[in-house]
Amino acid sequence: MSEITLIEPQKKDKLRCNVYVDGRFYCGIKLEVAVRYCLKVGMQIDLKKLDEIQLETEKSQALDKALNYLSAIKTKRQVRDYLEKKGYTQAVIMYVMERLEYYNYVDDEAYCRAYINCVSGKGKRAIEAELLKRGVERSVISSVLDEVVEDENEVSAILKKYMRGKENSRENLYKGFKYLLSKGFAYDTAKSALDSYDIDDEDN
């Protein structure tokens, strides 16, 4: 058994409260629910029971919040993190995610494709790093990126823009090559852009 050590109103929603168990934040629930189940400081409670209370009373609200959050496409991890910050237990989060996946409201593969279509000036390595940061599994990212071919014309244009106003020295060209690598482009793609760089096109 665990002990409820604090129940306090939420700052942004006075109709909800945060419940702390054994000195640590555990979940958020409606004040009326806390009253209905006679939750109070010092009360001994089974955490499974607390999970059941939140699942039964707040799963619909949690689903509504998740759907509102999905007004812009999000990854599964982003939705889970959002619900955790809202104070929902894992039981509620699992219920919501199952509903969202069942109705195809969350789809990490579709998210990857949408992100790739919107982003510009970044290579595959940079895109992979950003998608990993957003919680997409590496296997999903790899599957989508396998279909992507880095546009050598785009990379050459990025190099030309970088070199604009700079002296066409070997040192600056090498810095331009490193710049392309820092943008996440593959070594071979960056090298090809460097090899095809036409100094006569450079505006001095």
Side-chain angles (χ1 to χ4, degrees):
M1 298 289 286
S2 298
E3 180 181 337
I4 296 178
T5 50
L6 178 64
I7 298 177
E8 63 177 6
Q10 293 184 354
K11 293 181 179 179
K12 294 184 178 181
D13 187 347
K14 299 302 182 182
L15 297 178
R16 293 177 60 80
C17 62
N18 293 327
V19 179
Y20 291 76
V21 175
D22 295 333
R24 300 180 64 181
F25 172 76
Y26 189 75
C27 69
I29 58 174
K30 297 177 183 176
L31 281 171
E32 63 176 278
V33 172
V35 173
R36 187 194 316 166
Y37 287 91
C38 301
L39 301 181
K40 58 185 179 181
V41 174
M43 178 180 180
Q44 298 294 311
I45 191 168
D46 186 341
L47 293 182
K48 289 184 178 180
K49 176 63 177 177
L50 198 51
D51 289 350
E52 289 172 2
I53 291 173
Q54 195 192 58
L55 178 61
E56 181 60 31
T57 60
E58 304 217 337
K59 61 185 181 183
S60 295
Q61 184 185 50
L63 182 56
D64 287 341
K65 285 184 178 294
L67 289 171
N68 288 334
Y69 181 65
L70 283 167
S71 57
I73 187 170
K74 299 289 193 303
T75 67
K76 295 176 185 177
R77 173 68 64 77
Q78 287 173 326
V79 177
R80 283 196 293 266
D81 289 347
Y82 169 79
L83 292 172
E84 285 181 356
K85 288 179 181 178
K86 289 295 181 182
Y88 293 108
T89 62
Q90 290 304 309
V92 174
I93 293 173
M94 286 178 61
Y95 167 83
V96 171
M97 296 307 299
E98 286 174 359
R99 294 291 88 196
L100 294 178
E101 291 184 48
Y102 179 79
Y103 290 109
N104 293 319
Y105 281 112
V106 287
D107 183 336
D108 279 359
E109 185 172 315
Y111 181 93
C112 289
R113 296 183 192 282
Y115 178 82
I116 291 169
N117 287 334
C118 292
V119 73
S120 62
K122 289 185 178 182
K124 292 168 72 171
R125 288 188 295 105
I127 291 173
E128 179 183 35
E130 184 60 34
L131 290 172
L132 284 171
K133 189 191 304 182
R134 298 180 185 207
V136 182
E137 292 183 3
R138 190 180 297 275
S139 60
V140 175
I141 299 172
S142 296
S143 176
V144 175
L145 285 182
D146 282 345
E147 305 169 7
V148 175
V149 177
E150 292 180 340
D151 187 340
E152 292 188 3
N153 290 329
E154 178 189 9
V155 180
S156 294
I158 293 172
L159 176 61
K160 184 176 179 180
K161 183 177 180 180
Y162 174 84
M163 289 295 296
R164 188 172 296 138
K166 295 181 176 66
E167 181 183 351
N168 293 317
S169 65
R170 187 178 299 275
E171 180 182 0
N172 282 336
L173 283 172
Y174 180 64
K175 288 180 179 178
F177 173 70
K178 290 200 298 183
Y179 174 75
L180 293 177
L181 294 180
S182 73
K183 300 292 285 185
F185 293 106
Y187 177 90
D188 290 342
T189 307
K191 183 65 165 56
S192 178
L194 188 68
D195 291 342
S196 63
Y197 182 75
D198 188 351
I199 62 173
D200 293 330
D201 285 343
E202 177 66 22
D203 296 325
N204 292 312

